[in-house]
Amino acid sequence: MSYCVNCGVELDATASFCPLCHTPVCNPRQPVDTVSPKPFPSRREEVPPESKRGLALLLTAMLGSVAVCCGILDLLLSVGGNWSSYVIGAALMLWLWLVPPLLLRRMPLLVRLLVDVLAVGVYVWLIALELRGLAWYWGLALPIVLWGGACLLFLGLVLGAGRRSILSTVTLLIGTAGVFTLGIECFVDHFFQGAVSPGWSLVVLTVCAALMIPLIVVRRVPSLREEVRRRFHF
């Protein structure tokens, strides 16, 4: 058994150089074994990716079976109402969230977001239709869904424009959450009171701003940024 003259690591008989420090192996008493297989792979290979089409088919079968079984059970029980519409709507929403991105490899962000918002809007519409509450759907639920989609679109465009640090990403997430909360209260006030008078959402927005300020300061000051990266392994 040979050992590296530079770092002392134990060498295999098939090693022509040290795998640790790459020092050439030269042992006149034990030439390099070029016949036996090496203890580690000699070339780089990648694991073939799994078939996304098969996963999409599996998800479709699972969600479809749940929707069909609940629909049949609802017809057989006849307990009043149409509770299976909630399950069918949820299955459709999950299918639109999960399956199209698997089948369409380079699905544009705007198209994917439109599909997701449409799925949520249709699901909430089914609930409103079952509860006979289309008034609150058009006046409250749909605006909130569209507002959430707009906030997600903003995050997707900003974060996808370039590589962002963890501090910048967290700052954007906190700020967007505060603005989204403010929009929710404005829609609720307008629907129930006919006027906008934000209160608790301003508290949430203030807290979000208070959290963002230290993050922005740390992001702008190099010494603080390096200290945070060193301590939290960013």
Side-chain angles (χ1 to χ4, degrees), residues 63-78 81-88:
L63 295 174
S65 62
V66 170
V68 171
C69 291
C70 289
I72 295 175
L73 185 62
D74 191 12
L75 292 176
L76 294 177
L77 292 179
S78 299
N82 190 18
W83 60 268
S84 63
S85 61
Y86 302 134
V87 181
I88 296 174

Side-chain angles (χ1 to χ4, degrees), residues 149-172:
C151 292
L152 291 177
L153 178 61
F154 168 76
L155 284 176
L157 293 177
V158 173
L159 296 178
R163 188 175 180 180
R164 301 281 179 175
S165 64
I166 296 179
L167 292 176
S168 300
T169 303
V170 173
T171 303
L172 288 171

Side-chain angles (χ1 to χ4, degrees), residues 143-152 155 173-187 200-201 204-205 208:
I144 291 178
V145 171
L146 295 177
W147 177 242
C151 292
L152 291 177
L155 284 176
L173 290 175
I174 294 175
T176 306
V179 174
F180 176 67
T181 304
L182 179 63
I184 289 179
E185 187 178 14
C186 291
F187 288 128
W200 60 268
S201 62
V204 177
L205 186 61
C208 292

Side-chain angles (χ1 to χ4, degrees), residues 16-220:
S16 59
F17 61 90
C18 175
L20 185 62
C21 65
H22 301 281
T23 301
V25 176
C26 182
N27 188 354
R29 297 184 179 181
Q30 184 178 347
V32 177
D33 185 1
T34 58
V35 179
S36 302
K38 295 186 177 182
F40 52 87
S42 58
R43 61 180 182 178
R44 181 179 178 181
E45 296 183 357
E46 295 182 357
V47 178
E50 297 182 0
S51 174
K52 293 185 178 180
R53 182 175 300 178
L55 181 58
L57 182 61
L58 177 61
L59 291 173
T60 302
M62 292 174 59
L63 295 174
S65 62
V66 170
V68 171
C69 291
C70 289
I72 295 175
L73 185 62
D74 191 12
L75 292 176
L76 294 177
L77 292 179
S78 299
V79 295
N82 190 18
W83 60 268
S84 63
S85 61
Y86 302 134
V87 181
I88 296 174
L92 177 62
M93 181 177 64
L94 292 175
W95 188 88
L96 290 174
W97 281 359
L98 300 175
V99 175
L102 290 175
L103 298 178
L104 303 176
R105 296 182 178 180
R106 296 183 178 181
M107 191 173 184
L109 174 63
L110 182 59
V111 176
R112 182 171 183 177
L113 189 59
L114 287 176
V115 172
D116 293 342
V117 172
L118 177 63
V120 177
V122 171
Y123 180 55
V124 179
W125 177 77
L126 289 175
I127 297 176
L129 192 65
E130 177 65 22
L131 299 177
R132 296 178 177 86
L134 291 179
W136 64 261
Y137 173 77
W138 296 110
L140 180 62
L142 186 60
I144 291 178
V145 171
L146 295 177
W147 177 242
C151 292
L152 291 177
L153 178 61
F154 168 76
L155 284 176
L157 293 177
V158 173
L159 296 178
R163 188 175 180 180
R164 301 281 179 175
S165 64
I166 296 179
L167 292 176
S168 300
T169 303
V170 173
T171 303
L172 288 171
L173 290 175
I174 294 175
T176 306
V179 174
F180 176 67
T181 304
L182 179 63
I184 289 179
E185 187 178 14
C186 291
F187 288 128
V188 172
D189 290 345
H190 184 268
F191 180 77
F192 288 103
Q193 302 175 7
V196 177
S197 56
W200 60 268
S201 62
L202 292 178
V203 178
V204 177
L205 186 61
T206 302
V207 173
C208 292
L211 293 175
M212 292 172 59
I213 292 174
L215 294 176
I216 295 175
V217 172
V218 171
R219 183 70 180 86
R220 294 296 181 181

